[in-house]
Amino acid sequence: MQLYFSPLACSMATRIAFYEAGVDARFVEVDPKTKRTLEDDADYLAVSPLGYVPALRTDDGEVLTENSAILQHVADALPQAKLAPTDARGRTHLQQWLCFIGTELHKALYTPLLDERAPAEAKTYALEKGRSRLDFLAKHLAHRDHLLDAFSVADAYLVTVLTWSVATPIDLTKWPALLAYVGRVRERPSVARAFAEERDLYVKEKARHAKA
Ligand SMILES: N[C@@H](CCC(=O)N[C@@H](CS)C(=O)NCC(=O)O)C(=O)O
């Protein structure tokens, strides 16, 4: 499988899933500004017309998009890693959290806060609305280690998104359960490795953009 990613973007959740499974995948870096791949300067829009990551090229050549779908595909393809419940109710709970992270947190809260072109009013609105989502999440995580009964692809996605807080006005110390969760999950070897590798690539990306 081949993952199109940008450093520290939501695509990192799928890298974490691969590391959890101990499986080699091909990682193809996409520059978020130029929408070109780093390794061969190919047009990423020809792979995924909306230009956002992640995209996953499966072993049979199909290109999948949308983080939550890709994460479930990878979890299903690598069942030995136990990254998704296999029973119907458990799968519904997984979907519930993936949808919550993708819509309520990632796109509604963090995207406007991280987008330098988003108007100040949009950021204020997102923050106001987002507080109840973070309260809700903190309550759920107050007495549990993971979103579900065990680490799943939803945790891979959530830890990626919550870590973006440092680049936003969201102060996680106001939600000690979330701060503790991020600290705990980031200690997993798969997560620590993914963050370390992508942090280095992110620094390089910033340096490239500063030069351009
Ligand atoms: N709906 C997409 C959104 C993915 C997304 O927002 N990706 C961001 C990185 S976290 C991105 O590539 N943004 C660049 C862009 O929108 O041009 C998904 O869930 O996969």
Side-chain angles (χ1 to χ4, degrees):
M1 284 185 269
Q2 183 169 306
L3 177 70
Y4 293 87
F5 78 100
S6 296
L8 299 183
C10 55
S11 44
M12 194 172 68
T14 304
R15 182 189 290 272
I16 292 170
F18 281 124
Y19 290 170
E20 279 286 327
V23 160
D24 260 348
R26 233 183 113 227
F27 298 102
V28 180
E29 184 171 347
V30 177
D31 186 297
K33 281 215 166 118
T34 62
K35 307 292 182 198
R36 303 196 73 85
T37 62
L38 257 65
E39 63 178 31
D40 52 4
D41 195 32
D43 180 11
Y44 179 59
L45 296 175
V47 175
S48 184
L50 293 176
Y52 51 65
V53 292
L56 184 81
R57 196 181 294 280
T58 61
D59 291 339
D60 58 12
E62 187 186 0
V63 173
L64 302 176
T65 60
E66 299 304 321
N67 206 23
S68 297
I70 290 172
L71 286 168
Q72 290 185 78
H73 177 84
V74 170
D76 289 340
L78 307 170
Q80 72 279 11
K82 297 189 171 37
L83 295 170
T86 48
D87 63 300
R89 182 59 63 97
R91 181 53 75 105
T92 301
H93 289 149
L94 176 71
Q95 295 251 22
Q96 184 181 304
W97 283 114
L98 288 172
C99 289
F100 174 80
I101 300 162
T103 60
E104 301 297 333
L105 298 183
H106 177 178
K107 296 312 278 189
L109 177 56
Y110 284 87
T111 293
L113 296 181
L114 291 167
D115 187 342
E116 54 201 31
R117 287 161 311 161
E121 292 80 3
K123 291 180 193 280
T124 306
Y125 177 79
L127 259 181
E128 276 171 17
K129 195 132 185 154
R131 265 186 217 107
S132 64
R133 278 58 175 165
L134 294 171
D135 289 345
F136 168 78
L137 182 65
K139 205 167 162 201
H140 179 74
L141 287 170
H143 302 292
R144 36 189 323 137
D145 285 345
H146 305 107
L147 287 167
L148 304 176
D149 290 342
F151 182 86
S152 71
V153 285
D155 294 296
Y157 192 6
L158 181 58
V159 72
T160 301
V161 168
L162 288 179
T163 301
W164 298 337
S165 301
V166 293
T168 76
I170 297 171
D171 175 7
L172 281 189
T173 59
K174 291 189 186 139
W175 291 276
L178 300 186
L179 199 62
Y181 169 84
V182 170
R184 204 163 55 236
V185 175
R186 283 193 57 165
E187 278 176 11
R188 287 181 81 86
S190 64
V191 179
R193 180 181 164 200
F195 267 104
E197 290 175 355
E198 294 216 0
R199 201 183 306 112
D200 286 351
L201 295 173
Y202 183 75
V203 170
K204 287 185 187 143
E205 178 190 290
K206 289 285 148 208
R208 233 177 22 248
H209 291 167
K211 262 200 249 156

